[in-house]
Every structure is written in structure tokens, then in C-alpha cells.
Amino acid sequence: MKALLIESEGISRFTDVARPQLGEGDVRISIRHVGICGSDLNTFRGLNPLVQLPRIPGHEIGGEIVETGAGVPPTYRPGQRVIVLPYTSCGTCSSCRKGRVNACRYNRTLGVQQDGGLAEEIVLPAEKLILNDTLEPRFLALVEPLSVGFHAVARGRVSASDRIVVLGCGMIGMGVVIGAVARGAEVIAVDLSPEKTALAKQFGARHTIDAGTEDVVARIVELTDDQGVDVAFEAVGLPETFRQAIDLAGFCGRVVYVGYAKAPVSYQTQMFNLKELDIMGSRNATKSDFDAVIAYLETIGDRAAPLISKVIPFTDAESALPFWDKNRDVLKVIVER
């Protein structure tokens, strides 16, 4: 079968790979839609330390059941559409024992630590699939990235009484915006791209800040009467935004790091203590986060369409990563088969 392989830095191409074998408890999925993630782009650019090349990318996956193996419950039937849970969990590490399987020490995400979904088919255990024949097929590939943002909102304990700032309005940041708005919070969205901040406003952000033309700290001081925000979310992955999140959080506020910096970050740490901040990391998403996003997308229907910037046919998938690499303002590229 055909698959897209990131062969080396800056080079992706179609290649023939063996059709995966179907084992007991497994389901064979025909891939229909795959979202290109920022981690896939960083892999393509040679900036993802978690990936060893060559690698088949793709973990934002929507597909259709083709075949089921022995022992698969009869609720999984050929023709049904599915959303993929792309993470693994060992069940025995400290994270898993605490019930936080999304942060499994030995997690192997599809398209990162193991080959992913940019192929004609994939075989996965039935428990890694969510059945859904309600959402429009292309929207199935939106569930995973938005779920990462929803999970960050849960980590930040966001409530209707909170004012929050989201640094970075890519797809993960948009998930934070949408998830926080759904909880009734007042959202301030920050990005270098006016198109992305406009979209954040369309999805419920109260205020937007153009980080390329405005002083972000000064605007937050103005918008919060110099109180700072209750929760600051970093969804960029740069040392300067890691530090800025600390500056923007108010006293006894919370900071949630969703992005991760590719370079060391140096802090003046006194504000950690003086503000008595809660500083948290956020990783991947849980099944409950997926369920919350699915319910949201089912509620808004076709209004989710602006979250997809470009759809590229599977036969042209070699162009997907180079396209996004040259068009950084694009929010979400989806490969369709």
C-alpha cells in the first residue's frame, strides 16, 4: 500500500509499505482524513527531537472500518466511521497508576514514536477507536488537536469566573480558546497572525492582541486593570512566550504550558514565588477530552468549517508539508483520501 514518508529533513515522498497485519482485537481502518500537526511540520523541518527518521507522519485521523479481527466487539462494523486515539499507555508507570494515561511515561504517539496515519490503511486495537457516524467525515480529523486544547483547559481548572490569555492561536491554541469559552471564561487571544486572531474572535474570544504590532504586556495590563490574568496558556513553544506567560499571570494565577520550547528557557524565578503561581504542563488528551470536543463539533455543525484552511488530496500529499512550511499563517491542512 502507499504511504507518505518523511525520509529526511525537508524531504517527504510516497513509498510502498507492507499492508499491516490484522491481529486479535484489531480493526483495519481505511484512512479518509489526516490533519497535519505542528509536530509533523517540525519533524519535516528536522526540529522534532522525539522522532527518528524515516517516519510516516499523522495522528489526527478519521477513517472507516474495513475489517475486524477476532475478539472485536460486534459494535465495530465495516463501513462505520472512526476517530483515532493516537496515544499508547503502558498501564504500569506512575502516570498510568494515577489514571493520567495521557501522560504515560512510555507513550508512543502515532506519527511520532511510531509510524502514523498518512497511509492508505492502518491497523489499531479496537479500544483506540471512537465510533462516530454523526460528524462530517473531514471534521473527524479536527477532534484530536482540539482535544489537546480542551485538555489544557481542564489542567488549568478554567471556570466562568476566569479571565485567561492564550499565547498562540494555532490549532492547539484554538482548542484552548474554544474549550475556555465553552466554560464561560473571558478569553484574550494573542498571535502574530491577524487571520488567526480574527478566527479566535469568531469562536468566542472577547479580545485579541496582534503580537506583531502591539505590546502584549501593556495590553494585558490595560484589559485586566493591572491585575493580570487568572490563567495564562502558552501554545507557541518559544522561550520568550514561556517567560511571557509568567509575566501575564496575576498573583495566585495559573500558567499552563501546552507548547514546548525547542531551546533552553532562562527565567528570573522570583515571580514564581511572589505571585505563588501554579505552573503546569499539559500533554496529549484523554478520552473525556475527545468526547467533549465531539459533542462541541456536533453542536456547531458546519460552523466548524473555518477551522480547516486547506484540503489536499491524498495523491498530492507530498506537497502538504512543503506547503505549510511556506505558509505559516495557515491554521489547519487536512489530507483527504
Side-chain angles (χ1 to χ4, degrees):
M1 69 175 187
K2 293 291 185 183
L4 184 76
L5 192 72
I6 300 177
E7 205 168 48
S8 57
E9 183 180 333
I11 299 189
S12 60
R13 66 177 182 85
F14 272 122
T15 189
D16 290 307
V17 299
R19 192 183 190 213
Q21 297 297 307
L22 188 72
E24 184 173 353
D26 287 341
V27 177
R28 186 183 302 280
I29 303 301
S30 176
I31 302 298
R32 297 301 185 213
H33 295 88
V34 179
I36 304 296
C37 176
S39 64
D40 297 323
L41 182 60
N42 280 328
T43 299
F44 178 74
R45 298 174 65 207
L47 299 176
N48 192 336
L50 302 177
V51 176
Q52 291 185 334
L53 298 178
R55 176 68 73 223
I56 298 170
H59 58 265
E60 303 172 0
I61 304 168
E64 186 177 296
I65 295 176
V66 174
E67 182 184 6
T68 59
V72 173
T75 49
Y76 296 83
R77 301 185 303 275
Q80 288 183 299
R81 296 199 297 270
V82 295
I83 300 157
V84 171
L85 291 160
Y87 325 117
T88 66
S89 54
C90 70
T92 59
C93 72
S94 57
S95 300
C96 289
R97 292 198 307 272
K98 292 171 184 172
R100 292 167 66 176
V101 296
N102 58 290
C104 174
R105 179 177 181 177
Y106 305 107
N107 168 64
R108 298 176 69 242
T109 299
L110 293 174
V112 183
Q113 292 93 351
Q114 59 177 319
D115 284 337
L118 257 169
E120 292 181 294
E121 292 183 346
I122 195 169
V123 168
L124 294 167
E127 63 266 21
K128 293 299 178 184
L129 304 174
I130 300 173
L131 300 172
N132 187 283
D133 286 324
T134 305
L135 290 176
E136 188 175 324
R138 61 185 169 141
F139 294 159
L140 300 180
L142 295 178
V143 174
E144 193 276 342
L146 291 176
S147 296
V148 174
F150 271 51
H151 182 72
V153 169
R155 286 283 289 149
R157 306 188 303 276
V158 173
S159 71
S161 63
D162 286 330
R163 177 186 285 129
I164 76 158
V165 65
V166 184
L167 301 176
C169 295
M171 199 62 186
I172 305 303
M174 281 299 301
V176 176
V177 169
I178 292 168
V181 168
R183 291 182 177 220
E186 179 183 326
V187 176
I188 305 166
V190 182
D191 202 280
L192 290 167
S193 165
E195 292 81 8
K196 289 180 181 176
T197 51
L199 194 61
K201 197 153 195 176
Q202 182 178 330
F203 280 88
R206 182 84 59 87
H207 309 282
T208 62
I209 301 174
D210 184 336
T213 61
E214 299 180 78
D215 183 324
V216 175
V217 174
R219 282 284 286 137
I220 294 295
V221 167
E222 177 188 346
L223 291 169
T224 66
D225 295 325
D226 199 22
Q227 295 300 303
V229 297
D230 298 292
V231 197
F233 291 89
E234 199 286 339
V236 179
L238 293 173
E240 49 264 45
T241 45
F242 264 63
R243 288 187 290 266
Q244 191 173 68
I246 301 295
D247 296 335
L248 300 180
F251 276 68
C252 295
R254 303 177 303 277
V255 174
V256 182
Y257 289 127
V258 199
Y260 66 90
K262 317 309 182 289
V265 183
S266 298
Y267 290 97
Q268 295 291 337
T269 61
Q270 65 265 32
M271 285 303 170
F272 294 10
N273 307 89
L274 292 176
K275 291 184 179 181
E276 198 173 51
L277 297 174
D278 293 347
I279 302 173
M280 291 163 278
S282 183
R283 184 183 183 189
N284 298 334
T286 65
K287 172 65 163 50
S288 62
D289 300 315
F290 275 67
D291 290 339
V293 169
I294 291 166
Y296 169 79
L297 290 174
E298 288 177 341
T299 299
I300 69 169
D302 285 343
R303 284 181 288 154
L307 294 171
I308 300 175
S309 308
K310 187 175 181 65
V311 177
I312 293 177
F314 183 75
T315 51
D316 295 334
E318 287 182 352
S319 69
L321 287 161
F323 169 81
W324 197 17
D325 194 32
K326 294 175 182 175
N327 297 273
R328 300 296 178 83
D329 284 344
V330 166
L331 180 66
K332 176 55 59 182
V333 177
I334 286 181
V335 175
E336 180 178 66
R337 182 170 165 270

